[in-house]
Amino acid sequence: MAKSVFSLGQRHPRYTIAFAAFVLCAYWFLSSPTPRPHSVVYRANNDLKARLEREERKYRAMLPQRQDLITRFGPTPAQVVMFPPDQDPWPPYTVWDFFPPLFNCPHELDRLGALGDGGKWMCGISRIQDKPNCVIYSFGIDSSYSFEATLLQSTQFCEVWIYDSTKGEDAQNHIPKPLRHRAHFGKLALGASDRHSQGDDPKTWTLKSLMSENGHSHIDFLRLDVEGWEWETFRGIIRDFTMERVSANPAANANTTGWNVNEREGVLPFGQLQIELHVWNQRFQDFLEWWELLEVAGLRPFHHEINLVYANYNRHSGVELAEYSFLNIRGENAFIRDYVPVSPDGVVAEHQQEPDVRNIRHGPGPE
């Protein structure tokens, strides 16, 4: 006859103790409520304002040097060659030399994602690692999801919206299963105008329309790799979110500001931008005008990485692909303004001082 657990326990007390421990653990696991997110602790960067002001002064001082370089090799923008041939007279430059990422990141600088193609440079991930309502948009994935996955792993509340014109929900398999509840996927393209009616293929959305559709007013980090459509697309973004400041004397405005385009008012809806530039068939004067639009809208480049994989496979052409990272120095985004975030449970976080800056990686401090 089969023996009951209780009769077995009478002969072997250690079984009774083990069984009781199992029952208690099961009860505790099943009855315990889901833990609430811990209170967000924000560490203030007390030097942030001074760092940003110093970097802006340095960046503005570079603008006349760019014009001098144009005069030297032009002398007008229309006469500057993007990638001059290796022949006399030998001008030592490429187009990328006119647009250096001189604006130092005022926080830690990290490369997130895989080594080689797929990894991206980011300024101050610590500023959003515990930030509630953190929003990431990523356009154009191809086959690498390492950046998005690493960003999700490195933050507590960030959610990422991943869009590609050739991939949809099936792309979720590239994100680790424990992180998929914070990843959203859509099969669409980003463009300068909306074309997403029933017969449109691919369906194209402007950033403004897509943010409205998702119920977002701000994006913490925006990543774009749209294979040459960045020129038209970003002109549309700047047009949708900023307004040209009209000058009575455009020539005088250029002499005063260092730019040949009118300055713009308004704030772009993101804190940081990472974008791959494809200068296929681009003329220097067009590239310069596009770049200056970004500058007058408040974007400052703090890092770039030339795509040497592409250069290696296309040695007959110039080094035509480069990834740039920009900081938006306008508005109230998390990378340029100190704030005390509210955690999801409604608790206002304690405002703490930053640890000794000698023990963490920072850009140069104020002089």
Side-chain angles (χ1 to χ4, degrees), residues 264-332:
R264 301 189 73 86
E265 299 174 343
V267 179
L268 294 172
F270 49 84
Q272 203 166 137
L273 167 70
Q274 201 283 333
I275 184 171
E276 183 162 55
L277 303 180
H278 310 75
V279 295
W280 304 313
N281 304 316
Q282 284 287 314
R283 300 182 304 174
F284 181 85
Q285 64 266 39
D286 297 329
F287 181 61
L288 174 66
E289 183 264 344
W290 181 88
W291 183 276
E292 288 189 340
L293 280 177
L294 271 62
E295 291 176 323
V296 298
L299 297 184
R300 298 291 180 267
F302 62 83
H303 200 281
H304 77 339
E305 184 174 287
I306 304 299
N307 191 327
L308 296 178
V309 174
Y310 174 85
N312 181 50
Y313 290 134
N314 296 273
R315 299 189 182 191
H316 61 282
S317 62
V319 187
E320 298 172 315
L321 273 61
E323 299 197 12
Y324 273 84
S325 299
F326 293 84
L327 190 66
N328 185 358
I329 63 169
R330 292 186 186 171
E332 302 293 328

Side-chain angles (χ1 to χ4, degrees), residues 140-196:
I141 294 298
D142 193 16
S143 59
S144 176
Y145 294 76
S146 65
F147 168 74
E148 290 76 13
T150 304
L151 201 154
L152 288 173
Q153 290 169 341
S154 305
T155 59
Q156 186 177 4
F157 304 119
C158 286
E159 296 187 42
V160 58
W161 277 257
I162 299 173
Y163 297 106
D164 192 285
S165 61
T166 63
K167 299 176 179 66
E169 287 291 335
D170 57 324
Q172 65 180 336
N173 296 326
H174 295 275
I175 299 295
K177 187 173 293 186
L179 302 172
R180 289 178 191 170
H181 66 288
R182 291 195 281 133
H184 314 274
F185 302 85
K187 186 177 180 180
L188 57 84
L190 185 68
S193 59
D194 287 302
R195 297 185 299 275
H196 43 83

Side-chain angles (χ1 to χ4, degrees), residues 15-159:
Y15 291 130
T16 302
I17 296 172
F19 179 73
F22 172 78
V23 172
L24 287 173
C25 289
Y27 174 78
W28 176 83
F29 178 80
L30 294 173
S31 62
S32 297
T34 302
R36 304 174 76 181
H38 64 73
S39 180
V40 177
V41 177
Y42 177 75
R43 299 186 182 278
N45 183 343
N46 294 326
D47 293 333
L48 181 55
K49 185 173 184 294
R51 289 172 184 270
L52 290 168
E53 290 174 351
R54 174 186 180 274
E55 292 306 315
E56 181 64 4
R57 289 195 301 271
K58 185 178 67 177
Y59 196 82
R60 294 276 185 149
M62 176 273 300
L63 298 179
Q65 297 179 47
R66 179 197 293 162
Q67 186 56 52
D68 291 343
L69 202 61
I70 292 173
T71 302
R72 176 183 175 187
F73 294 117
T76 68
Q79 294 170 297
V80 175
V81 180
M82 298 283 280
F83 301 99
D86 184 11
Q87 62 186 40
D88 292 329
W90 185 64
Y93 77 89
T94 71
V95 62
W96 310 117
D97 293 304
F98 293 84
F99 309 98
L102 288 185
F103 198 97
N104 284 328
C105 164
H107 313 292
E108 74 280 3
L109 183 62
D110 292 294
R111 194 178 191 275
L112 305 181
L115 292 178
D117 192 35
K120 313 296 177 187
W121 288 94
M122 185 173 185
C123 170
I125 191 173
S126 62
R127 306 286 289 192
I128 60 171
Q129 65 183 8
D130 293 318
K131 180 179 180 291
N133 303 316
C134 169
V135 174
I136 313 294
Y137 276 31
S138 185
F139 293 92
I141 294 298
D142 193 16
S143 59
S144 176
Y145 294 76
S146 65
F147 168 74
E148 290 76 13
T150 304
L151 201 154
L152 288 173
Q153 290 169 341
S154 305
T155 59
Q156 186 177 4
F157 304 119
C158 286
E159 296 187 42

